[in-house]
Amino acid sequence: MQSRLTIKDIARLSGVGKSTVSRVLNNESGVSARTRARVEAVMQQEGFSPSRSARAMRGQSDKVVAIIVTRLDSLSENLAVQTMLPSLYEQGYDPIMMESQFSPKLVEEHLGVLQRRNIDGVILFGFTGINEKILQPWQSTMVLMARDAKGFASVCYDDEGAINILMSRLYEQGHRHISFLGVPHSDVTTGLRRHQAYLAFCQRHALTPNFSLPGLAMKQGYDRVAEVLTPQTSALVCATDTLALGASKYLQQRPLGALQLASVGSTPLMKFLHPEIITVDPGYAEAGRQAARQLIGQITHSCDLRQIVIPSSLQ
Ligand SMILES: O=P(O)(O)OC[C@H]1O[C@H](O[C@H]2O[C@H](CO)[C@@H](O)[C@H](O)[C@H]2O)[C@H](O)[C@@H](O)[C@@H]1O
């Protein structure tokens, strides 16, 4: 049962000041482990769940959801977030943004804070290495983005489909020496699945694969593109727009003759800077819309936990 106690009451019962309780709630530093444990024990014992009442007292929204992105500077995640926000606002939800930096530990910490603040739900951009156990308390009020997990709602991209579309287009155009710049297999979706789709296409069409898997950063595309270029290479598929932007900068500085670039992303920046690059849109905007709709449905108990896969489309 939810308690009617205030932060002041918790401070009194724990023998600390209000600011210390607030620090514990916000997971801030400056509180000893012993004090933190004492305050948490009191809150648990009293069934204390502060945020709704605190928000209501401040005249703020009582409907709050969190969006945990992996990187605030990710073009693809921003596109998804941009379409989540209007749906959330429309239904009266205030979003809180957090960043995980691909750190499972940070995800755990963020979820701890959100749980203590008793928020309504979470949209979590997933990644390899997150311990699914820490997600369990959120099973009915969480939507995973770009990853699925048994028993959770999710919105994913068709990684294999995106690469197949690009490879088929290049093959139709007559390219037979197609290289690939990607992401290490430790990243199961953007890394392993996209690379495997490239290899499978090469095998089906008797093409010789030529690839490098540097990572997600633009600089890695710039630094490593030369590794995959041979005198025969006529096309290059990049697993992400960001890698393609790095590769194209390298190619601008050292022109190597005609080379058709292709990438997964189709972000506005890429379309503006390089309309000549063939791109596939994995459906980031649609994914954002669907995730917001799904989460609201879960919070209001009006929809099941669905696993949604957004189809890719050639742009
Ligand atoms: O360079 P970006 O615009 O950031 O796009 C790169 C890829 O970002 C996303 O994948 C990465 O983050 C996912 C969580 O959002 C994570 O699950 C995945 O392992 C990471 O590679 C996005 O899902 C991809 O489509 C982008 O290509």
Side-chain angles (χ1 to χ4, degrees), residues 27 68 99-113 124 127-131 134-135:
N27 209 21
I68 308 181
E99 189 193 37
S100 71
Q101 297 160 13
F102 291 119
S103 157
K105 190 163 177 293
L106 267 183
V107 170
E108 191 168 357
E109 283 175 19
H110 289 332
L111 290 177
V113 170
L124 171 66
F127 55 89
T128 313
I130 295 182
N131 176 359
I134 64 163
L135 308 183

Side-chain angles (χ1 to χ4, degrees), residues 10 44 75 99 124 126 144-145 190 218 245 255 277 288 303:
I10 297 298
Q44 198 175 7
L75 298 175
E99 189 193 37
L124 171 66
L144 288 169
M145 290 294 288
T190 313
M218 197 181 297
L245 286 167
I277 295 182
C303 83

Side-chain angles (χ1 to χ4, degrees), residues 28-43:
E28 287 166 12
S29 57
V31 186
S32 72
R34 208 164 146 203
T35 306
R36 187 179 295 277
R38 187 162 75 241
V39 173
E40 281 177 350
V42 170
M43 289 196 291

Side-chain angles (χ1 to χ4, degrees), residues 4 10 30 63 71-72 76 109 136 185 189 207 239 266 279 283:
R4 286 176 186 276
I10 297 298
K63 291 160 80 176
R71 297 145 295 153
L72 286 165
S76 60
E109 283 175 19
Q136 282 310 323
H185 286 192
T189 50
L207 307 179
S266 211
T279 59

Side-chain angles (χ1 to χ4, degrees), residues 169-309:
R169 166 50 64 99
L170 293 169
Y171 193 83
E172 277 161 24
Q173 289 182 342
H175 295 283
R176 296 295 180 267
H177 294 275
I178 308 172
S179 297
F180 181 83
L181 204 52
V183 174
H185 286 192
S186 50
D187 178 329
V188 174
T189 50
T190 313
L192 179 71
R193 288 192 191 150
R194 291 182 192 177
H195 182 223
Q196 280 183 339
Y198 163 76
L199 293 177
F201 189 98
C202 288
Q203 195 171 25
R204 284 199 302 279
H205 295 84
L207 307 179
T208 306
N210 187 354
F211 60 85
S212 175
L213 307 177
L216 285 169
M218 197 181 297
K219 181 75 167 45
Q220 291 172 310
Y222 177 88
D223 287 340
R224 303 281 296 276
V225 63
E227 286 174 20
V228 297
L229 301 178
T230 69
Q232 288 76 39
T233 310
S234 65
L236 170 68
V237 169
C238 295
T240 77
D241 271 11
T242 303
L243 278 173
L245 286 167
S248 69
K249 179 157 174 77
Y250 177 92
L251 295 167
Q252 270 167 7
Q253 292 170 343
R254 299 166 188 76
L256 296 170
L259 182 74
Q260 177 63 60
L261 256 65
S263 69
V264 180
S266 211
T267 52
L269 182 67
M270 173 59 105
K271 296 311 274 180
F272 180 72
L273 291 178
H274 294 289
E276 75 285 1
I277 295 182
I278 300 171
T279 59
V280 148
D281 177 8
Y284 298 126
E286 183 56 18
R289 268 190 290 275
Q290 297 245 14
R293 208 175 300 150
Q294 173 67 30
L295 183 65
I296 294 167
Q298 287 173 219
I299 294 169
T300 56
H301 306 289
S302 58
C303 83
D304 296 332
L305 303 181
R306 295 180 305 154
Q307 281 83 42
I308 300 164
V309 179

